Amino acid sequence: MTDPRIQRLAEVLLDHSCELKAGEHVLIEGFDLDDPSLICALVEGAAERGALPVAELKSMRVQRSVFRSATEASMKLCGDIELARMQQMQAYIGVRGAANSSELADVPHDRMDLYQEHWLRKVNDHRVPKTKWVVLRWPNDAFAQAASMSTEAFEDFYFDVCTADYAAMREAQKPLVARMEATDRVRLVAPGTDLEFSIKDIPVIPCSGERNIPDGEVFTAPVRDSINGVIQYNTSSRYQGAVFSDIRFTFKDGKIVEATSNDTPRLNAILDSDEGARYCGEWAVGVNNRVRHPMLDTLFDEKIGGSFHLTPGQAYEEADNGNRSRIHWDLVLIQREDYGGGEMWFDGELIRKDGRFLPDDLQGLNEGL
């Protein structure tokens, strides 16, 4: 018998996130799943709605071997095949487990560059703007451990967060969207951080369960050459299989001119992937107050209530500042008092202090803090 929480999550993904219609093609991919129950529920649910599901399970251990043995020709071939399949889809659901979140840690950087350029970016440049897509993680022992929770407690937390009332979230985000659309200058202050930039005339996009599960952010992009100052991120981040902590950037006219971390050489190698990697393609405000603490998982960490993320690399087409890169690395700074506090200013007005919004029209975003 299927866990009713799995059935409810499948309904959210099919009906809210993808708005799946009869006749549409949907690709359902699972990565490192020890339990395929959600994939089965999605396939059956898609068929019940008259859609045409295509399902596949992948192994990151196998992917590691593919990446470690990669050549430019092999990555182009894989990218072409994956792109041809994606071009036949109207919707995409990616469910990602992680038996070992560091599985790709020993893949040489130049091989990951080949994957990013000739496979991942090629497919995503079609999938992101041209399909109704959603991605999410799947709870397992390793994920619970990263969250410092028991497996049972983490599963309860996971299903509660992932099946939130996204319609109510969308309504609560509207005043913040309006304020960001009217803003030119943003200033961010926190321990080790004093940063300013413009978001003038860049579109502002609310996120409430359409593309990520869980969700809860409002994103835009900084004007590409407008960022100046210093940022000291206070959460760790797993990227390309390695964990980075104590990341600190100095910006001058939009460019990261100095970057340090627990692994400064590897950090700078990523930022030297291409010209756009040292510029930022996204700035977003996290507003999901059910997610409180980082767990080395971007899909959760970037939504943390009282946080923001500033992202080196590729801009999204919906909020485009013109930056192009093979990387897109969401790095999170939490401004709540229990993480050192901080301030967010829009055109000289203090909008958020220590993670709490101050204006009356934004009080709905403080619920649960």
Side-chain angles (χ1 to χ4, degrees):
M1 181 177 178
T2 302
D3 186 330
R5 300 177 301 179
I6 294 176
Q7 193 63 41
R8 171 60 185 146
L9 180 55
E11 291 169 359
V12 169
L13 296 169
L14 294 169
D15 296 328
H16 178 81
S17 302
C18 291
E19 298 181 333
L20 197 63
K21 302 293 191 298
E24 291 184 327
H25 303 176
V26 54
L27 174 61
I28 303 166
E29 282 189 320
F31 299 80
D32 280 353
L33 299 182
D34 52 4
D35 178 1
S37 298
L38 179 58
I39 303 299
C40 295
L42 288 167
V43 169
E44 293 165 6
E48 289 170 0
R49 288 158 175 79
L52 283 69
V54 176
E56 182 177 14
L57 292 176
K58 290 183 175 179
S59 161
M60 290 311 297
R61 187 171 177 182
V62 173
Q63 293 292 87
R64 172 182 174 273
S65 295
V66 172
F67 296 157
R68 283 176 60 88
S69 60
T71 64
E72 184 172 345
S74 71
M75 288 298 95
K76 284 182 175 179
L77 175 61
C78 290
D80 288 344
I81 291 170
E82 294 280 335
L83 175 60
R85 180 171 66 170
M86 192 65 72
Q87 287 172 333
Q88 298 187 56
M89 302 298 155
Q90 286 77 53
Y92 171 83
I93 302 174
V95 185
R96 298 167 184 175
N100 178 3
S101 296
S102 300
E103 192 67 65
L104 304 182
D106 58 354
V107 178
H109 181 72
D110 63 325
R111 310 297 171 84
M112 289 304 299
D113 273 354
L114 291 173
Y115 163 66
Q116 296 269 355
E117 180 176 358
H118 298 296
W119 183 343
L120 183 65
R121 183 174 175 182
K122 183 185 298 184
V123 175
N124 283 352
D125 280 352
H126 177 85
R127 174 177 68 81
V128 172
K130 296 183 179 180
T131 71
K132 300 181 291 184
W133 60 271
V134 61
V135 295
L136 67 157
R137 298 289 188 258
W138 182 247
N140 56 24
D141 293 345
F143 203 173
Q145 185 177 33
S148 300
M149 299 173 70
S150 70
T151 300
E152 183 177 355
F154 182 75
E155 286 181 356
D156 290 341
F157 161 77
Y158 172 90
F159 285 108
D160 175 61
V161 170
C162 290
T163 58
D165 185 344
Y166 288 112
M169 179 183 291
R170 181 184 297 144
E171 287 301 309
Q173 292 173 345
K174 286 181 178 179
L176 179 59
V177 172
R179 282 181 172 269
M180 290 172 66
E181 287 175 338
T183 294
D184 177 2
R185 303 296 303 179
V186 175
R187 184 184 179 200
L188 304 170
V189 180
T193 296
D194 195 342
L195 202 67
E196 292 192 52
F197 52 88
S198 173
I199 57 172
K200 185 177 182 179
D201 297 329
I202 306 290
V204 178
I205 311 298
C207 300
S208 51
E210 293 83 7
R211 297 293 172 259
N212 289 174
I213 296 291
D215 216 341
E217 67 174 271
V218 178
F219 78 87
T220 183
V223 174
R224 188 176 185 267
D225 61 356
S226 70
I227 309 177
N228 284 285
V230 178
I231 184 168
Q232 176 75 55
Y233 296 98
N234 59 7
T235 68
S236 298
S237 176
R238 190 188 306 277
Y239 193 74
Q240 295 182 357
V243 175
F244 295 84
S245 60
D246 303 314
I247 298 173
R248 182 180 187 273
F249 294 152
T250 300
F251 286 88
K252 182 174 175 56
D253 298 332
K255 185 176 183 178
I256 300 170
V257 295
E258 183 179 356
T260 60
S261 73
N262 63 318
D263 190 344
T264 296
R266 187 164 187 163
L267 173 66
N268 280 278
I270 293 171
L271 296 176
D272 290 334
S273 296
D274 52 42
E275 182 183 355
R278 286 188 178 267
Y279 291 83
C280 288
E282 180 190 3
W283 176 65
V285 182
V287 296
N288 189 330
N289 298 329
R290 299 186 184 196
V291 187
R292 304 285 295 170
H293 305 289
M295 57 185 75
L296 283 176
D297 186 275
T298 299
L299 284 180
F300 280 75
D301 295 353
E302 68 179 359
K303 314 304 190 314
I304 291 171
S307 77
F308 68 82
H309 53 278
L310 182 65
T311 304
Q314 176 81 3
Y316 287 117
E317 186 174 280
E318 308 99 302
D320 196 356
N321 69 352
N323 198 44
R324 296 293 174 265
S325 176
R326 65 171 63 100
I327 79 163
H328 180 95
W329 189 0
D330 294 314
L331 295 169
V332 178
L333 194 158
I334 305 171
Q335 291 183 301
R336 295 199 318 265
E337 193 170 13
D338 52 331
Y339 281 86
E343 299 174 351
M344 181 181 296
W345 298 76
F346 290 177
D347 290 331
E349 179 184 0
L350 183 58
I351 295 296
R352 196 175 74 178
K353 182 174 176 61
D354 297 340
R356 296 188 64 86
F357 291 96
L358 301 182
D360 290 343
D361 60 321
L362 300 181
Q363 291 303 304
L365 294 171
N366 290 330
E367 185 176 349
L369 274 176

